[in-house]
Amino acid sequence: MKDWMRIAGITSSEITDEQTFRRRRALIQAATAAGMTGFIGTDAMAKEIGPISKWADSATEKQTTEEIATTYNNFYELGTDKGDPVKNADKLITDPWSVVVDGECDAPGTFTLEDILKPHAIEERVYRLRCVEAWSMVIPWNGFALADLLKRFKPNSNAKYVSFETLNDPDLPGMKSRVLDWPYREGLRIDEAMHPLSFMAIGMYGKEIPGQNGAPMRLVVPWKYGYKSIKSIVRISFTEKQPQTSWNMSAPHEYGFYSNVNPEVSHPRWSQAKERRLAGETSGLSALFTKKIDSQFMNGYGEEVAELYADMDLKKFF
Ligand code: MTE
């Protein structure tokens, strides 16, 4: 690694990611030029969704291009390199899809994706997405408030938390690596889940959400690190006790249950004070040289969510 890369804060794993990303980008460009749109599989075939109403409080910063948001991904079930999820997205079978809802609620059941989606009007919300690896994007998601979905299952008074699980298919190419204890699990306190900012995304950029981004439905919790936004959900459970969550199980001193974006609480290996914004035209190599910007407390959503943590020491409950 060259000294100027170290000075710029670029790690060797980012260089590998970048090489994979550039190869993938070159392949897409070549395939598109040759008219081989089938080559890009789900990307090219993504169905438009609508009608979509626009949420009034969307982030107004420059949006990340669809190309970057759908080719630079973290989805370990599909592989650990940033370019793996898009390459392996066709291995994720999303039709048919069902979701089990259980635990502390009066209307549990097994629901088809159609059952889940039917009553919900679709909204576009542009949110900042901040990964604990200190990069960020600005993405227009399509979906509905998580609270509107959860209320349908009538959580009872014992429901203090809600947990989520991703499809546990041992044939998915990333799941042999045992980097995490599968299935991928995440959880929120019930008041966090019911907060109006918590969102269930079924699309992005006006199209059905592609496999690499968590088809057919994934969580988006914009004030928390990206790993809380669990993809490809097959189970929702209401619980009395705080549920186990994947990254916390793998390294509890590195990843807390709350995982609220907080520039003052550094991860042991990454300062969280700044982030590299992947937006606009910053694709390819230039993405690595995007100027770092200051990270914001709660990813800029502090005013909306501060009341949830009023009496808590956020350094202890990180
Ligand atoms: N969900 C599952 N099931 N598996 C994963 O590996 N990665 C998380 C989160 N959700 C992950 C997941 C991480 S670390 C991030 S930063 C976001 O997804 C990335 O979402 P994106 O690829 O749509 O940008």
Side-chain angles (χ1 to χ4, degrees), residues 178-221:
R178 313 294 311 165
V179 269
L180 291 171
D181 187 11
W182 311 115
Y184 194 103
R185 279 161 262 208
E186 258 313 331
L188 297 169
R189 228 171 46 194
I190 194 83
D191 56 342
E192 296 179 312
M194 293 297 187
H195 190 279
L197 284 178
S198 294
F199 200 61
M200 187 63 87
I202 52 116
M204 60 199 294
Y205 299 91
K207 297 174 207 153
E208 282 179 2
I209 200 160
Q212 63 271 26
N213 292 89
M217 62 180 221
R218 58 93 53 92
L219 215 59
V220 186
V221 191

Coordinates of all heavy atoms in Angstrom, one line a residue, residues 178-221:
R178 N -19.5 -18.9 7.4 CA -19.7 -18.9 8.8 C -19.1 -17.6 9.4 O -18.7 -17.6 10.6 CB -19.1 -20.1 9.5 CG -19.4 -21.4 9.0 CD -20.8 -21.8 9.0 NE -21.5 -21.7 10.3 CZ -22.8 -21.7 10.4 NH1 -23.6 -21.9 9.4 NH2 -23.4 -21.6 11.6
V179 N -19.1 -16.5 8.7 CA -18.6 -15.2 9.3 C -19.6 -14.8 10.4 O -19.2 -14.2 11.4 CB -18.5 -14.0 8.3 CG1 -17.2 -14.0 7.7 CG2 -19.6 -14.1 7.3
L180 N -20.8 -15.1 10.2 CA -21.8 -14.8 11.3 C -22.6 -16.1 11.6 O -22.5 -17.0 10.8 CB -22.8 -13.7 10.8 CG -22.3 -12.3 10.5 CD1 -23.4 -11.5 9.8 CD2 -21.9 -11.7 11.9
D181 N -23.3 -16.1 12.7 CA -24.1 -17.2 13.1 C -25.4 -17.0 12.5 O -26.2 -16.2 12.9 CB -24.2 -17.2 14.7 CG -24.8 -18.5 15.2 OD1 -25.0 -19.4 14.4 OD2 -25.2 -18.5 16.4
W182 N -25.7 -17.7 11.4 CA -27.0 -17.5 10.6 C -28.2 -18.1 11.4 O -28.0 -19.0 12.1 CB -26.9 -18.2 9.3 CG -25.6 -17.9 8.5 CD1 -24.6 -18.7 8.2 CD2 -25.2 -16.6 8.0 NE1 -23.6 -18.1 7.5 CE2 -24.0 -16.8 7.4 CE3 -25.8 -15.3 8.0 CZ2 -23.3 -15.7 6.8 CZ3 -25.1 -14.3 7.4 CH2 -23.9 -14.5 6.8
P183 N -29.4 -17.6 11.2 CA -29.7 -16.5 10.2 C -29.3 -15.1 10.8 O -29.1 -15.0 12.0 CB -31.2 -16.6 10.2 CG -31.6 -17.1 11.5 CD -30.6 -18.1 11.9
Y184 N -29.1 -14.2 9.8 CA -28.8 -12.8 10.2 C -30.0 -12.3 11.0 O -31.2 -12.6 10.7 CB -28.7 -12.0 8.9 CG -28.1 -10.6 9.1 CD1 -26.8 -10.3 8.8 CD2 -28.9 -9.5 9.6 CE1 -26.2 -9.1 8.9 CE2 -28.3 -8.3 9.8 CZ -27.0 -8.0 9.4 OH -26.4 -6.8 9.6
R185 N -29.8 -11.8 12.2 CA -30.8 -11.3 13.1 C -30.6 -9.9 13.5 O -29.5 -9.5 13.7 CB -30.7 -12.1 14.4 CG -31.3 -13.5 14.4 CD -30.7 -14.2 15.6 NE -29.6 -15.0 15.0 CZ -29.2 -16.2 15.5 NH1 -29.8 -16.6 16.6 NH2 -28.3 -16.9 14.9
E186 N -31.7 -9.2 13.7 CA -31.6 -7.8 14.2 C -32.8 -7.5 15.1 O -33.8 -8.3 15.1 CB -31.6 -6.8 13.0 CG -30.2 -6.2 12.8 CD -29.5 -5.8 14.0 OE1 -30.1 -5.4 15.0 OE2 -28.2 -5.9 14.1
G187 N -32.8 -6.5 15.8 CA -33.9 -6.2 16.7 C -33.9 -4.7 17.1 O -32.9 -4.0 17.0
L188 N -35.1 -4.3 17.5 CA -35.3 -2.9 17.9 C -36.1 -2.9 19.2 O -36.9 -3.9 19.4 CB -36.1 -2.1 16.9 CG -35.4 -1.9 15.5 CD1 -36.4 -1.4 14.5 CD2 -34.2 -1.0 15.6
R189 N -36.0 -1.9 20.0 CA -36.9 -1.7 21.1 C -38.3 -1.4 20.5 O -38.3 -0.7 19.4 CB -36.4 -0.6 22.0 CG -36.4 -0.9 23.5 CD -35.7 0.2 24.3 NE -36.2 1.5 23.9 CZ -35.5 2.6 24.2 NH1 -34.4 2.6 25.0 NH2 -36.0 3.8 23.8
I190 N -39.4 -1.7 21.1 CA -40.7 -1.5 20.4 C -40.9 0.0 20.1 O -41.5 0.3 19.1 CB -41.8 -2.2 21.2 CG1 -43.1 -2.3 20.4 CG2 -42.1 -1.4 22.5 CD1 -43.2 -3.5 19.5
D191 N -40.5 0.9 21.0 CA -40.7 2.3 20.7 C -39.8 2.8 19.6 O -40.2 3.7 18.8 CB -40.5 3.2 22.0 CG -39.2 3.0 22.6 OD1 -38.5 2.0 22.3 OD2 -38.8 3.9 23.4
E192 N -38.7 2.2 19.4 CA -37.8 2.5 18.2 C -38.5 2.0 16.9 O -38.6 2.7 15.9 CB -36.5 1.9 18.3 CG -35.6 2.3 19.5 CD -34.3 1.6 19.5 OE1 -34.2 0.4 19.4 OE2 -33.2 2.3 19.6
A193 N -39.1 0.8 17.0 CA -39.7 0.2 15.8 C -40.9 1.0 15.5 O -41.3 1.1 14.3 CB -40.1 -1.3 16.1
M194 N -41.6 1.5 16.5 CA -42.9 2.2 16.2 C -42.6 3.7 15.9 O -43.5 4.5 15.6 CB -43.8 2.2 17.4 CG -44.4 0.8 17.7 SD -45.4 0.2 16.3 CE -46.0 -1.3 17.0
H195 N -41.4 4.1 16.0 CA -41.0 5.5 15.6 C -41.3 5.8 14.2 O -41.0 5.0 13.3 CB -39.6 5.8 15.9 CG -39.2 7.3 15.9 ND1 -39.0 7.9 14.7 CD2 -39.2 8.2 16.8 CE1 -38.8 9.2 14.9 NE2 -38.9 9.4 16.2
P196 N -41.9 7.0 13.9 CA -42.3 7.2 12.5 C -41.2 7.2 11.4 O -41.5 7.0 10.2 CB -43.0 8.6 12.5 CG -42.9 9.1 13.9 CD -42.4 8.0 14.8
L197 N -39.9 7.3 11.9 CA -38.8 7.2 10.9 C -38.5 5.7 10.5 O -37.9 5.5 9.4 CB -37.6 7.8 11.4 CG -37.5 9.4 11.5 CD1 -36.2 9.8 12.1 CD2 -37.7 10.0 10.1
S198 N -38.9 4.8 11.3 CA -38.5 3.4 11.0 C -39.3 2.9 9.8 O -40.6 3.1 9.8 CB -38.8 2.4 12.2 OG -37.9 2.8 13.2
F199 N -38.7 2.4 8.8 CA -39.3 2.2 7.5 C -39.1 0.8 7.0 O -38.0 0.1 7.2 CB -38.6 3.2 6.5 CG -39.4 3.5 5.3 CD1 -40.6 4.1 5.3 CD2 -38.8 3.2 4.0 CE1 -41.3 4.4 4.2 CE2 -39.5 3.6 2.8 CZ -40.8 4.2 2.9
M200 N -40.1 0.2 6.3 CA -40.0 -1.1 5.6 C -39.9 -0.8 4.1 O -40.8 -0.3 3.6 CB -41.2 -2.0 6.0 CG -41.1 -3.4 5.5 SD -39.7 -4.3 6.2 CE -40.4 -4.9 7.7
A201 N -38.8 -1.1 3.5 CA -38.6 -0.8 2.1 C -38.8 -2.0 1.3 O -38.4 -3.1 1.6 CB -37.1 -0.3 1.9
I202 N -39.6 -1.8 0.2 CA -39.9 -2.8 -0.8 C -39.4 -2.4 -2.2 O -39.5 -3.1 -3.1 CB -41.4 -3.2 -0.8 CG1 -42.2 -1.9 -1.0 CG2 -41.8 -3.8 0.5 CD1 -43.0 -1.9 -2.3
G203 N -38.9 -1.2 -2.2 CA -38.3 -0.7 -3.5 C -37.3 0.4 -3.2 O -37.1 0.9 -2.1
M204 N -36.6 0.8 -4.3 CA -35.7 1.9 -4.3 C -35.6 2.5 -5.7 O -35.8 1.8 -6.6 CB -34.3 1.5 -3.7 CG -33.6 0.5 -4.5 SD -32.3 -0.4 -3.6 CE -31.1 0.9 -3.3
Y205 N -35.4 3.8 -5.8 CA -35.4 4.5 -7.1 C -36.6 4.2 -7.9 O -36.5 4.0 -9.2 CB -34.1 4.1 -7.8 CG -32.8 4.5 -7.1 CD1 -32.2 3.6 -6.2 CD2 -32.2 5.7 -7.3 CE1 -31.1 3.9 -5.5 CE2 -31.1 6.1 -6.6 CZ -30.5 5.2 -5.7 OH -29.4 5.6 -5.0
G206 N -37.8 4.0 -7.3 CA -39.0 3.8 -8.0 C -39.2 2.4 -8.6 O -40.1 2.2 -9.3
K207 N -38.3 1.5 -8.2 CA -38.4 0.1 -8.8 C -38.4 -0.9 -7.6 O -37.9 -0.6 -6.5 CB -37.2 -0.2 -9.7 CG -37.1 0.7 -10.9 CD -35.8 0.4 -11.6 CE -35.4 1.6 -12.4 NZ -34.0 1.7 -12.6
E208 N -38.8 -2.1 -7.9 CA -38.7 -3.2 -6.9 C -37.3 -3.3 -6.3 O -36.4 -3.2 -7.1 CB -39.2 -4.5 -7.4 CG -40.6 -4.6 -7.6 CD -41.0 -6.0 -8.2 OE1 -40.2 -6.8 -8.5 OE2 -42.3 -6.2 -8.4
I209 N -37.2 -3.5 -5.1 CA -35.9 -3.6 -4.5 C -35.1 -4.8 -5.0 O -35.6 -5.9 -5.1 CB -36.0 -3.6 -2.9 CG1 -34.7 -3.2 -2.3 CG2 -36.4 -5.0 -2.4 CD1 -34.9 -2.8 -0.8
P210 N -33.9 -4.6 -5.5 CA -33.2 -5.7 -6.1 C -32.6 -6.7 -5.0 O -32.4 -6.2 -3.8 CB -32.0 -5.1 -6.9 CG -31.9 -3.7 -6.4 CD -33.1 -3.3 -5.7
G211 N -32.3 -7.9 -5.3 CA -31.8 -8.9 -4.4 C -30.7 -8.4 -3.5 O -30.7 -8.6 -2.3
Q212 N -29.7 -7.8 -4.2 CA -28.5 -7.4 -3.4 C -28.8 -6.3 -2.3 O -28.1 -6.1 -1.4 CB -27.4 -6.8 -4.4 CG -27.8 -5.6 -5.2 CD -28.4 -5.9 -6.5 OE1 -29.1 -7.0 -6.7 NE2 -28.3 -5.0 -7.5
N213 N -29.9 -5.6 -2.5 CA -30.3 -4.6 -1.5 C -31.4 -5.1 -0.5 O -31.8 -4.4 0.3 CB -30.8 -3.3 -2.2 CG -29.7 -2.6 -2.9 OD1 -29.5 -2.9 -4.1 ND2 -29.0 -1.7 -2.3
G214 N -31.7 -6.4 -0.6 CA -32.6 -7.0 0.4 C -34.0 -7.4 0.0 O -34.9 -7.3 0.8
A215 N -34.2 -7.8 -1.3 CA -35.5 -8.2 -1.8 C -36.1 -9.3 -0.9 O -35.3 -10.1 -0.4 CB -35.4 -8.6 -3.3
P216 N -37.4 -9.4 -0.8 CA -38.4 -8.5 -1.3 C -38.7 -7.3 -0.3 O -39.4 -6.4 -0.7 CB -39.6 -9.3 -1.5 CG -39.5 -10.4 -0.5 CD -38.0 -10.6 -0.2
M217 N -38.2 -7.5 1.0 CA -38.5 -6.4 1.9 C -37.4 -6.3 2.9 O -36.9 -7.4 3.4 CB -39.9 -6.4 2.5 CG -40.2 -7.6 3.3 SD -41.9 -7.4 3.9 CE -41.7 -8.0 5.6
R218 N -37.0 -5.1 3.3 CA -35.9 -4.9 4.3 C -36.2 -3.7 5.1 O -36.9 -2.8 4.7 CB -34.5 -4.8 3.6 CG -34.3 -3.7 2.5 CD -33.8 -2.4 3.0 NE -32.5 -2.3 3.7 CZ -31.3 -2.2 3.2 NH1 -31.2 -2.1 1.8 NH2 -30.3 -2.0 3.9
L219 N -35.6 -3.7 6.3 CA -35.7 -2.6 7.2 C -34.8 -1.4 6.8 O -33.7 -1.7 6.2 CB -35.3 -3.1 8.5 CG -36.0 -2.6 9.8 CD1 -37.5 -3.0 9.7 CD2 -35.4 -3.3 11.0
V220 N -35.2 -0.2 7.1 CA -34.3 1.0 7.0 C -34.6 1.8 8.2 O -35.6 2.3 8.5 CB -34.6 1.8 5.7 CG1 -33.6 2.9 5.6 CG2 -34.6 1.0 4.4
V221 N -33.5 1.8 9.1 CA -33.6 2.6 10.3 C -32.5 3.7 10.2 O -31.4 3.4 10.6 CB -33.4 1.7 11.5 CG1 -33.7 2.4 12.8 CG2 -34.2 0.4 11.4

